[in-house]
Every structure is written in structure tokens, then in C-alpha cells.
Amino acid sequence: MLFNKVMSPQKTKELLANSLPCVVAMEGCASFHYWARTAESFGHEVKGMAPKKVKPYISNQKTDANDAVGIAVASAQLGMTFCQVKTLSQQNIQAIQTSRKWFDRATTSLGNHIRALCFEYGATIPFGKKSLRESISYFISPESSHLPIPIKQLLMILWQQYQTTENHYQAITLQLKQLVNQSEPCKRLMKLEGVSYIGAAGLISCLGDGKSFKKGRHASVYVGLTPKQHSSGGKVVMVGIDKHGGR
């Protein structure tokens, strides 16, 4: 090892640009794909590893310097598996898709909060967005006497936030559809039975062009669609689907 010291992002780029092509080992954490693409643009080979696979090789206390040593040691181990580097297009689709899921969960969470708040005052709201919309319109109206005025004012604010969040969810959903419809690989995937724009976006953002996998089973393991194995002494025990896969 030549050195092990902290470097600024700009200094890191300069180091990558001025170094001869080599192996750049990285832990698959935040901004991994950005730095991996940067390293590849300078002719380096990137080996990215999941944090859970690097952790056993980190000795002593948890510091950035010790992490760097652990990453270097892990990358040289036999049998170590490496993750693929996402293209900018893949990362764009993934970012939009995960944000869409966040807005969906936020809408559901806010709707449940509104229902619970009303229920504390004896005002019940049936399940479903239509029922929520109709009930809130009635409960916050001047004719309704189910809720105190301060709670009506609070519900107005919460309902405005709910509608804004739902509008953002619809806008991001439309953006995802447009991006998928512009992608030729996604179009081919949507020709498969049962694959919509959401499934196509998930497959493309996760698997890319598939060239990183030798066969279909490897891809299935990567996305977490195969049973997790806990075998010993020749006895094979399958313990259910491992949703985290080999990442």
C-alpha cells in the first residue's frame, strides 16, 4: 500500500485521471455508481462489493482508513462476487422509481393519519381514496358538527398536504411511464406476459443488459428470487426467499 489518507472529491478525480489503468475496489454505498462511472471513464476496472461482504475483512475499530484496508483485502479474495455498475440511464430510472414508491407510501401514511385523527373524535372513514375524499369534504364543511373547529382547521392543512403529495405521485408515475416508453429494452420487456412499465423499469434498473450474469439463475439470485440456503454436513436446508439476493 502506497498511502491511506483522506482525499477531497476533486483530488480523488485527479488521482484517477493521472493513474495508470488499474483495479478500483469500492464498497457499494452512497454515490458508488457515480464514482464507478468516473473511474471507468479514465480506463480503470471497478470492483464493487456489498457492505455485508466487506465487513468481515475490516479489523480493529470502525474508521475510514480501516474501511479502505478492508475493501482492498476483500476485493482480492477468491470467490468474492462483485456488483455491476449502473449506467446513467439505469440510475435515472431507479431514482424515479424509488421516489415514486416513497410518494406512494407517504400518501398512504398521511391518509391513515387522517383516518386515525378523525376516529379519535368518533368520525369513521371507510377504506379507499374515494371514501376518504368524500368524508373529508363533509367533515371540514361548515354543516358538519362531528369535529371541533380547531380539528377542522388541522384537517384542512393535512388534506391539502395529502392532495399535494398525491399530485406529485401522479406526476412521477407519468414521468416513469414516459421514460420507460422511450427505452427500447423496456419496450421489449413489456412485450412479455405480465410485465408492465413498473416491472420493466425494475428489471432494467436492476439487471441492465444482463451481460454481468453468466446465466438466468445468477440474475435471479442477484434480485433475490431464489431460496436462501443454510446447509451443513451435506444436509441441504432451504429457508425461504432471500429478498436481498446476492447484493
Side-chain angles (χ1 to χ4, degrees):
M1 180 178 293
L2 297 178
F3 63 89
N4 186 359
K5 62 182 181 180
V6 178
M7 299 182 68
S8 67
Q10 184 58 38
K11 290 293 183 180
T12 304
K13 287 183 179 179
E14 293 175 2
L15 177 65
L16 292 171
N18 298 327
S19 300
L20 294 174
C22 61
V23 173
V24 178
M26 300 176 62
E27 191 178 47
C29 54
S31 74
F32 160 71
H33 296 289
Y34 167 77
W35 283 106
R37 289 195 300 268
T38 301
E40 287 183 338
S41 67
F42 294 120
H44 302 296
E45 177 188 356
V46 175
K47 290 186 176 182
M49 297 161 288
K52 66 179 181 180
K53 294 188 176 182
V54 175
K55 188 175 181 180
Y57 301 99
I58 299 176
S59 59
N60 300 324
Q61 299 183 29
K62 169 69 175 177
T63 65
D64 291 337
N66 289 337
D67 286 353
V69 174
I71 292 170
V73 172
S75 65
Q77 300 304 306
L78 293 176
M80 178 61 67
T81 55
F82 305 100
C83 56
Q84 62 176 332
V85 179
K86 294 186 185 298
T87 64
L88 185 61
S89 176
Q90 281 180 269
Q91 195 170 356
N92 290 343
I93 292 177
Q94 185 184 51
I96 294 173
Q97 190 178 39
T98 53
S99 297
R100 176 183 175 275
K101 289 181 181 179
W102 184 88
F103 275 103
D104 187 23
R105 290 194 298 267
T107 303
T108 301
S109 177
L110 189 54
N112 291 337
H113 178 70
I114 292 174
R115 282 189 173 88
L117 184 65
C118 292
F119 188 66
E120 291 294 332
Y121 291 88
T124 58
I125 301 177
F127 289 109
K129 292 184 178 180
K130 182 179 179 181
S131 298
L132 179 63
R133 189 177 299 107
E134 293 174 351
S135 299
I136 289 299
S137 298
Y138 170 70
F139 288 145
I140 63 177
S141 64
E143 296 80 15
S144 174
S145 58
H146 287 77
L147 302 173
I149 293 179
I151 301 304
K152 284 187 177 182
Q153 295 172 344
L154 173 62
L155 278 180
M156 289 180 185
I157 297 174
L158 292 173
W159 183 240
Q160 288 176 358
Q161 183 62 42
Y162 179 91
Q163 292 176 307
T164 300
T165 305
E166 189 174 31
N167 289 338
H168 289 164
Y169 169 76
Q170 297 296 339
I172 291 179
T173 300
L174 179 61
Q175 185 184 14
L176 181 63
K177 285 183 179 180
Q178 293 173 343
L179 199 59
V180 167
N181 289 331
Q182 294 171 2
S183 171
E184 189 59 35
C186 288
K187 290 181 181 179
R188 294 198 298 268
L189 285 171
M190 285 191 292
K191 292 180 181 179
L192 299 174
E193 184 178 356
V195 178
S196 67
Y197 71 95
I198 297 177
L203 288 171
I204 286 296
S205 64
C206 184
L207 302 178
D209 57 11
K211 293 181 180 179
S212 301
F213 309 98
K214 294 182 179 180
K215 50 187 176 182
R217 179 172 173 79
H218 292 174
S220 299
V221 172
Y222 183 77
V223 299
L225 297 178
T226 55
K228 186 176 181 180
Q229 187 173 162
H230 186 78
S231 305
S232 178
K235 184 178 180 180
V236 179
V237 179
M238 312 304 285
V239 293
I241 298 296
D242 179 16
K243 296 182 180 180
H244 295 288
R247 289 171 284 177

